[in-house]
Every structure is written in C-alpha cells, then in structure tokens.
Amino acid sequence: MSRFFSNKFYKLIPYIPGEQPKKTDYIKLNTNESPFLPSDSVKEAVAEESKRLMLYSDPECIDLREKLSKVLGVKPSEVVVTNGSDEILNFAFMAFCDENHPIVFPDITYGFYPVFANLHNIPYTEIPVKADFSIDINDYIGINKNIVIANPNAPTSLLLSISDIEKIVSSNPDNIVIIDEAYIDFGGESAIKLINRYKNLLVTGTFSKSRSLAGARLGFGVADKDLIADINTLRYSTNPYNVNRLTLKAGMAALQDNAYYMEKCKKIVDTREYTARQLENLGFEVLESFTNFLFVKSEKIDGETLYKELKRRKILVRHFSLERIKDYNRITIGTKEQMEVLIEKIKEIFKENNL
Ligand code: PMP
C-alpha cells in the first residue's frame, strides 16, 4: 500500500476472483462460465461493430434496453444495463445503502456482497443459512433492513420459490430487496414479474452464464422506473459509457439467438444431472442444483486436497476457505466430455490414494 492510499480504504479486503489461467490446457470448471461458444451472429455483430470503435457507445444503451425489455416483459424505463452484473450490484449498494440503511444477506453466498458493503462503509449482517445450506425465509420477513439474496444462491446452488421471494419483498416495504438472478436460467422462476407490484424490488441478471458472454461483461437491473432512475444517477456520475460498443451489439445478437442459448442451457442442465449422479455413485454428497454448477463434498477427501489434486491433473474447480464450506468444492458444469474427464480423474485420485 502506498502512503497516498486513502484512509477510507486501508482496511478494504478486495474480492478474490477465481483463477483465470493464461494457459488454455485446463478444463476450466471454476468460475461458472458457459462451456459453449457465443452464437455465430454474436461473433459477426462484434466484428462488424469493431469498425465503429473510434466512437463512444450509446450512454442510454437504448437499442439493447428496448430489446431486453421486450424479452423480459417489462418497459425500457424499468431496465438498466451495466458492465457485468457486478456493476449493477455495486450501484445498488451505493444507491440504497448507507450507515442508516444497513443490508443483510446469507452467510454463505456470493463473496462480493461483503466487499461492496465494506467499500461503501455500509453496516451489514450475515444471516446464517440452515445446516443444510437452505435459506430460512423467516429470518428475512419484516427484518426492516435492505436485503440481497442470490436466487439461486451461490455457491450452494439452492433455490427459493417465487412465493417465498414475494413474502420477503412484501414484508419489507420500506427497504430495498435485491434479488441476484445470475443463475436463474438454469432452474428457477424469475422475480422480474413482481417488479410492477413491488416498488422496493430490484432484480439483477447477467449475460455471463446462460448467454456465453462472461468476457463481454454485460449485466442488467430490472425495477420500478424510479429505482432505475436512481441507478442511472450513479451510472452517469461514474461512467456513462459503462457498456462498450462491442458488448452492446453482442448482447443484441445474443437476445436475437434466444433459441440457441436456451438449447445450451438445457444441455447444461442435462449434463448437471448426469454429473450429479456420477458423483453420488462415487460417494459424494451433492446439493440439489438449480444452477450451472454443483456444490459437493466427499467423506473420503477434503475440499482443498481435491482441488489441488484436480489442478495437478489440469482441471480447475473452486474451493473456498470459509470455515462452514471448506469441505466442499464448487464445480462448474462444462460439456459432457469435460465432465467425463472430471469423473475419470476423480476415480484416479481415489485409486492412487487408496480411498
Ligand atoms: N452474482 C452471482 C451470484 C455470481 O456468482 C456472479 C458471478 N461471479 C455475479 C453475480 C457476477 O457476474 P457478472 O459480473 O459476470 O455478471
């Protein structure tokens, strides 16, 4: 740290992203990306738009917002697009939380939430999930604090029903409830349909997972237009060109190719169920997944050792050192072939170590 770094931040512990190895000889199952290529029209749209890179992007992102709002069944004024969904989450923490408006979230959830809270000096409480890692909605009913819940949750892969989400939102009318739906296309029912009934609900989403665009950085927020206007005040006060030209076009083309992506989602769900059964056959405990990853534990080998042994064999999975989940690994669903290699390598590890 330099002597110039502001005192405000000297205790800040940044978010640690999953490894992004330079070498491509890994089977990469550690950051919940899609194993499938973007569709051809995305590649073509990006190549075509590259001719216009000397010009700034549209700060209103109007074409993409119009298209996205149609797909989501809302109005363009109820949508904002951002540089990944991390950015809309950051804006939401900034816009709606402060010393007098604290936020709560589960203790086992997306690791960026406490980082955003610390970054903006927001008091926060982590509410323990139950022993089976499920969220007890009674902990959130009428809590009278801002709330952020990933649904489905990460890294647990578990889902809350839309009626449970509605109970949480309706019982906290004077607080913002953020539902982070990064993984919703792999299992759950979106809370977007509730935004017209609840002025305090913000739903966030991403093109990183189900639409094979993690590297393009495209996220979005959907809420009542007044909440979206607040987010835009912050967006225009930080970076009005937050979504670049190539990404705007990639997003448009991806929405156009909806059928392609929904077919890939189905493949991922089928491969997820196949992998879950294979891992169970090897004695793993596998949480029921509504996402593009599995959260798994084996009595035979601890989470960190399995992570290291797989890495030696050129497979990357995610291990968290947090006490409650240190025995687990989070494994992204790749192609069927990649998952077959994973299973083979786990068998090899068990055999070599007489497990
Ligand atoms: N929310 C959750 C629960 C996530 O796991 C992720 C991915 N790391 C994000 C949001 C952010 O994804 P992105 O910024 O790529 O949209």
Side-chain angles (χ1 to χ4, degrees), residues 27 29 274 310 313-315 335-349:
I27 295 182
L29 308 177
Y274 160 81
L310 285 170
R313 292 166 173 80
K314 296 283 179 206
I315 298 180
T335 60
K336 179 109 186 273
E337 295 71 32
Q338 288 176 323
M339 303 321 275
E340 282 166 355
V341 177
L342 169 85
I343 299 296
E344 282 318 305
K345 295 292 174 190
I346 292 176
K347 283 183 186 161
E348 187 182 297
I349 293 164

Side-chain angles (χ1 to χ4, degrees), residues 12 16 22 36 42 63 74 88 107 115 120 138 143 153 177 223-224 242 286 294 325 332 337:
L12 187 65
I16 304 168
K22 297 273 177 302
F36 298 112
V42 166
D63 294 342
V74 297
I88 177 69
D107 62 339
V115 178
H120 302 300
N138 294 313
I143 193 168
N153 196 10
V177 179
D224 177 72
N242 60 329
V286 181
L294 294 171
I325 54 172
T332 303
E337 295 71 32

Side-chain angles (χ1 to χ4, degrees), residues 15 84-86 89 110 113 150 154 180 182-183 206 208-209 217-219:
Y15 176 72
S85 57
D86 284 337
L89 291 165
Y110 186 31
Y113 303 154
D180 173 351
Y183 300 102
T206 182
S208 293
K209 317 294 178 185
R217 314 302 300 124
L218 184 58

Side-chain angles (χ1 to χ4, degrees), residues 241-260:
Y241 310 109
N242 60 329
V243 184
N244 71 66
R245 278 186 169 273
L246 303 182
T247 297
L248 286 173
K249 291 291 181 190
M252 293 279 286
L255 291 173
Q256 198 69 42
D257 282 340
N258 204 38
Y260 169 89

Side-chain angles (χ1 to χ4, degrees), residues 59-155:
E60 293 197 43
C61 307
I62 191 69
D63 294 342
L64 180 59
R65 277 175 42 235
E66 277 179 357
K67 182 128 196 109
L68 182 58
S69 58
K70 269 203 194 100
V71 171
L72 301 175
V74 297
K75 300 191 194 83
S77 58
E78 294 166 333
V79 176
V80 60
V81 291
T82 53
N83 194 306
S85 57
D86 284 337
E87 191 180 47
I88 177 69
L89 291 165
N90 184 33
F91 284 149
F93 273 70
M94 236 199 283
F96 307 119
C97 307
D98 56 37
E99 305 84 80
N100 301 316
H101 300 90
I103 191 158
V104 301
F105 43 84
D107 62 339
I108 309 297
T109 191
Y110 186 31
F112 228 134
Y113 303 154
V115 178
F116 289 136
N118 287 326
L119 175 64
H120 302 300
N121 231 341
I122 300 160
Y124 65 92
T125 310
E126 294 171 297
I127 300 182
V129 293
K130 292 196 264 185
D132 64 0
F133 294 124
S134 65
I135 290 170
D136 185 345
I137 64 155
N138 294 313
D139 292 336
Y140 297 85
I141 300 292
I143 193 168
N144 203 23
K145 289 179 181 164
N146 290 336
I147 296 168
V148 57
I149 291 178
N151 196 46
N153 196 10

